[in-house]
Amino acid sequence: MARAAALRGLAGIAAAGGRRARACGQRWDAGWRGFRAGPSGGRAAAAGHRGSSPSRSSAALAARQAGSLRGAAAAAGRKGWVSGGFESEDGKVTCGYSSYIGRRPTMEDCYAVKLTKVDGQPVNLFGVFDGHGGNLAAEYLKDNLFNNLMKQPEFLTDTKLAISKAFLETDGDILETISSSFRDDGSTALAAVLIGKCLYVANVGDSRAVASKAGKGKVAARKKRPKPVPLSKDHKPNRKDERKRIEDAGGVVIWDDTWRVGGILAMSRAFGNRMLKEYVIAEPDIQEEEVNSDLEYLILATDGLWDVVRNEDAVALLKAEDGAQAAAVKLTEIAYSRQSADNITCVIVQFHHNK
């Protein structure tokens, strides 16, 4: 009920504020060094967090990335763009994000990064949320999904079960609120949960996770060609299994410029969307991946990127950029230059195995 009350407050803010052309994100830092570029993407500075100061190496990394970003920001010169990044204390993981309103009149994408510990175990969570019909559901996911997940008793012992329960409970919270209003907000959710050497990727909707792995074989090794490995599968109404599930529940899939549930929604799973909830579920598909020396990067992005950028192209770009944040910014720029018509949000996680 408390979470639902908080969500009702969000609904009131959204109704009163009208259009909000900004990127929305949330991050928590526990034992991490961070740096952030402002809305223009042009100022990157080492960020001192509570009770601590950034190390010399963090400042140097931020300075290098600032140099990479200045040209991009100057060329863009656009509002509604935010980017930033983090480096772990042990240097094993860095993270960069970039979020841009693009050609849409309002910003409905959100992102979240949560870097913390549970029972002394390092836990890192990364997510992107693509709202539709308003930004209420995406905002709520940004603020609450990871907290709900970490409250599950099975979080460390049966992480997949904990993820499924947290997704469904959070969907229930959203539905409880919008059921008494005229809103019908919805959102995708794509979350990566890193616990030790285990990486879990959970997906609801058509945002996408793609891993970059070191290429194998003599040719790939010689050319240093990375291999794109999808860690999620888009939930589209025309997918054979999804269409059958929808039709078995009494729904229909109709073509109207693209395949849509009931001729309305262009994805088959989502949070919220109370009018279609019987057919549009929030049960996540979850993939588990071992973090070994082959795994170099993980890209989490909304469909504003994937509508115009192939998996192979995105992965090929990563090593050409100076770190995860610069790569996230570059991918955002490329998607916009290729005429993406949507909000564009990208989170990149880089794994450093030699630390």
Side-chain angles (χ1 to χ4, degrees):
M1 292 298 291
R3 291 198 296 268
L7 186 53
R8 281 192 290 272
L10 272 177
I13 292 170
R19 290 184 175 182
R20 291 194 295 172
R22 66 176 182 85
C24 59
Q26 181 134 349
R27 60 186 193 213
W28 299 258
D29 317 301
W32 281 66
R33 300 189 291 270
F35 43 91
R36 182 173 67 85
S40 69
R43 294 190 300 273
H49 301 299
R50 303 184 200 93
S52 66
S53 59
S55 70
R56 201 172 285 177
S57 63
S58 177
L61 179 60
R64 288 200 307 273
Q65 299 227 355
S68 299
L69 293 169
R70 283 191 193 104
R78 309 178 190 111
K79 296 181 179 179
W81 181 24
V82 63
S83 71
F86 295 91
E87 180 186 26
S88 65
E89 286 289 346
D90 59 13
K92 291 184 177 180
V93 179
T94 53
C95 163
Y97 60 86
S98 177
S99 189
Y100 180 45
I101 189 173
R103 292 177 171 83
R104 294 288 297 275
T106 58
M107 185 60 170
E108 295 178 334
D109 278 6
C110 291
Y111 60 88
V113 179
K114 189 173 182 69
L115 313 161
T116 186
K117 290 185 178 181
V118 176
D119 295 340
Q121 172 91 339
V123 173
N124 306 318
L125 305 100
F126 313 91
V128 295
F129 315 106
D130 185 354
H132 48 264
N135 63 358
L136 187 151
E139 288 266 10
Y140 190 77
L141 289 165
K142 171 203 67 175
D143 291 335
N144 295 281
L145 181 62
F146 289 161
N147 286 334
N148 291 350
L149 171 57
M150 295 173 66
K151 290 176 183 176
Q152 300 297 322
E154 309 88 353
F155 178 60
L156 293 178
T157 58
D158 191 343
T159 306
K160 286 186 176 181
L161 176 62
I163 291 171
S164 291
K165 289 174 63 176
F167 272 52
L168 293 175
E169 288 176 9
T170 305
D171 187 43
D173 293 338
I174 294 171
L175 292 170
E176 180 181 345
T177 297
I178 63 178
S179 65
S180 59
S181 72
F182 293 104
R183 302 183 65 120
D184 195 23
D185 299 57
S187 179
T188 71
L190 176 63
V193 181
L194 179 62
I195 304 176
K197 291 289 186 179
C198 292
L199 175 67
Y200 303 89
V201 177
N203 183 52
V204 167
D206 56 1
S207 296
R208 188 184 306 166
V210 177
S212 174
K213 292 192 174 184
K216 294 184 177 181
K218 293 182 179 179
V219 174
R222 185 171 64 250
K223 294 185 177 181
K224 296 184 178 180
R225 184 180 299 161
K227 177 184 178 184
V229 179
L231 293 183
S232 68
K233 190 174 180 181
D234 301 353
H235 288 131
K236 293 292 191 181
N238 58 318
R239 251 179 58 178
K240 186 176 180 180
D241 56 341
E242 288 294 279
R243 182 166 192 156
K244 183 178 186 304
R245 178 184 60 75
I246 292 165
E247 292 177 344
D248 286 350
V252 294
V253 175
I254 299 172
W255 175 265
D256 181 9
D257 76 2
T258 189
W259 291 106
R260 298 178 183 273
V261 181
I264 299 170
L265 191 64
M267 67 195 71
S268 56
R269 300 194 191 191
F271 286 78
N273 290 115
R274 62 187 175 91
M275 299 300 291
L276 296 170
K277 195 76 261 178
E278 190 174 355
Y279 323 115
V280 179
I281 62 176
E283 177 69 38
D285 282 335
I286 305 170
Q287 294 197 38
E288 184 176 353
E289 184 79 15
E290 179 187 0
V291 178
N292 56 33
S293 59
D294 291 339
L295 183 59
E296 298 176 329
Y297 296 90
L298 175 68
I299 305 171
L300 307 175
T302 58
D303 64 342
L305 175 74
W306 303 117
D307 284 346
V308 294
V309 178
R310 300 185 309 162
N311 295 358
E312 295 82 0
D313 295 341
V315 165
L317 172 137
L318 295 174
K319 285 192 174 181
E321 297 300 318
D322 187 12
Q325 182 187 357
V329 169
K330 189 64 175 179
L331 283 174
T332 304
E333 286 190 314
I334 288 174
Y336 185 78
S337 71
R338 294 184 180 181
Q339 304 302 309
S340 174
D342 207 345
N343 304 141
I344 308 161
T345 298
C346 180
V347 174
I348 294 179
V349 183
Q350 184 176 6
F351 302 91
H352 305 276
H353 302 289
N354 57 348
K355 299 291 186 178

